[in-house]
Amino acid sequence: MTTQLITKLPAILDPTKIPQHVAAIMDGNGRWAKQQGLPRIAGHQQGANTVRSILRCCKDWGIANFTVYAFSTENWGRPEAEVNFLMRLFEGLLDSELDRMHAEGVRIRFLGDRSQVPIGLRNMMDKSIKKTVNNRAVTFNIAINYGSRNEILQACRSISKRVKNGELETEQIDESLFAKYLDTHGLPDPDLLIRTSGEQRLSNFLLWQLAYTEIYITNTHWPDFSNDEFTQAIADYQQRNRRFGKV
Ligand code: FPP
């Protein structure tokens, strides 16, 4: 997060209808870099600046939870140099931003399977969680080595074990119990999902949690996703009539 002054809530937004949880599929870093004649990694670096400014808006505008899809279980299939760069970028960002984020009251959490994450990054993740656990200004959830199907399977395995051990009856398994076994336990479901760069799919992101989420898709590449466009996305969300399957 930058040390810049507080970003005021834009006048077009209704302060009584602020989403409590915004999630983002940050697509288009590579395409942005290509357009600029730069290597793909420059796109990721610029994308990190967008994360910083959107997180600041969330904090300042009262959006209690911000979740980003930083690295999917499928992303290991990218060229080794890009994967290594991303792992080092995440570690470096956490290292350089942790004190500032902590001072701003950001609570950091991670979604995904940490067992395959390089040890240096994993240690930094543990340190970030520990340091910020009591912060309440905004919760920043970073999905690293995350895949929703895998998360759901893990939940099924844990619940099955408890049933097998006689600690749980099958009848006790309902939506609220199931949600407690997901990486997002304790978080409200996202109100708004933003996907940049025009693709119209969920890409194995929060499949359970997005059941009733409003979706905003833009052609803008993530590095170009500005505070103004974030305002636009929320304004759009505020116009929606959320019925949750009712009339
Ligand atoms: C998708 O664009 C982006 C990623 C897989 C990496 C996202 C990482 C960041 C934005 C860095 C900062 C992150 C944090 C959590 C501080 P792409 O590479 O798939 O772009 P393309 O579809 O145009 O190739």
Side-chain angles (χ1 to χ4, degrees):
M1 275 181 124
T2 56
T3 44
Q4 79 189 66
L5 290 171
I6 286 176
T7 330
K8 260 184 65 186
L9 185 71
I12 63 160
L13 295 184
D14 177 349
T16 67
K17 283 198 202 161
I18 295 297
Q20 279 312 288
H21 187 172
V22 172
I25 301 180
M26 313 182 285
D27 206 5
N29 291 349
R31 276 164 279 178
W32 178 89
K34 198 172 172 196
Q35 274 177 0
Q36 317 280 321
L38 296 168
R40 290 178 57 81
I41 56 173
H44 298 315
Q45 222 137 19
Q46 194 57 35
N49 294 333
T50 304
V51 174
R52 237 184 245 120
S53 35
I54 301 301
L55 178 59
R56 165 154 294 287
C57 293
C58 289
K59 189 206 157 189
D60 292 348
W61 301 350
I63 297 165
N65 300 280
F66 179 46
T67 300
V68 294
Y69 204 3
F71 195 90
S72 73
T73 45
E74 290 73 31
N75 285 154
W76 295 108
R78 293 187 173 211
E80 200 184 332
E82 184 173 342
V83 170
N84 291 342
F85 175 85
L86 281 169
M87 296 298 148
R88 279 199 308 270
L89 177 68
F90 300 148
E91 186 181 337
L93 284 169
L94 287 171
D95 196 19
S96 63
E97 305 279 329
L98 184 57
D99 286 346
R100 250 176 300 179
M101 287 200 279
H102 180 53
E104 299 254 8
V106 179
R107 178 181 177 205
I108 303 173
R109 283 179 55 156
F110 296 93
L111 318 178
D113 176 5
R114 275 193 274 170
S115 62
Q116 290 165 52
V117 170
I119 185 75
L121 174 55
R122 214 183 320 151
N123 289 340
M124 220 29 245
M125 289 161 77
D126 289 338
K127 188 175 165 188
S128 313
I129 296 170
K130 237 177 162 171
K131 189 170 175 111
T132 64
V133 69
N134 294 316
N135 291 346
R136 289 293 176 269
V138 59
T139 300
F140 180 34
N141 306 288
I142 310 172
I144 295 180
N145 191 28
Y146 176 85
S148 189
R149 287 185 173 181
N150 186 48
E151 177 193 32
I152 289 169
L153 283 177
Q154 290 296 344
C156 291
R157 286 196 193 105
S158 305
I159 294 170
S160 309
K161 266 189 210 147
R162 294 199 61 201
V163 172
K164 201 171 155 200
N165 294 343
E167 296 160 21
L168 202 64
E169 299 290 332
T170 336
E171 292 69 29
Q172 287 174 277
I173 306 170
D174 59 12
E175 290 187 13
S176 101
L177 179 128
F178 194 82
K180 289 195 178 91
Y181 287 82
L182 298 172
D183 296 350
T184 47
H185 56 89
L187 297 173
D189 287 340
D191 299 300
L192 173 65
L193 170 73
I194 294 169
R195 179 159 192 159
T196 53
S197 225
E199 245 73 65
Q200 306 189 18
R201 52 178 172 261
L202 294 179
S203 300
N204 203 14
F205 189 47
L206 303 175
L207 301 179
W208 171 279
Q209 298 87 339
L210 294 174
Y212 289 103
T213 301
E214 297 295 328
I215 304 181
Y216 177 89
I217 294 172
T218 171
N219 286 327
T220 306
H221 299 313
W222 180 254
D224 279 336
F225 189 77
S226 61
N227 291 4
D228 282 347
E229 189 160 4
F230 188 43
T231 305
Q232 201 46 58
I234 298 169
D236 195 281
Y237 160 84
Q238 291 187 333
Q239 301 305 314
R240 311 262 181 109
N241 178 12
R242 300 187 79 192
R243 292 198 302 270
F244 297 96
K246 303 184 183 94
V247 286

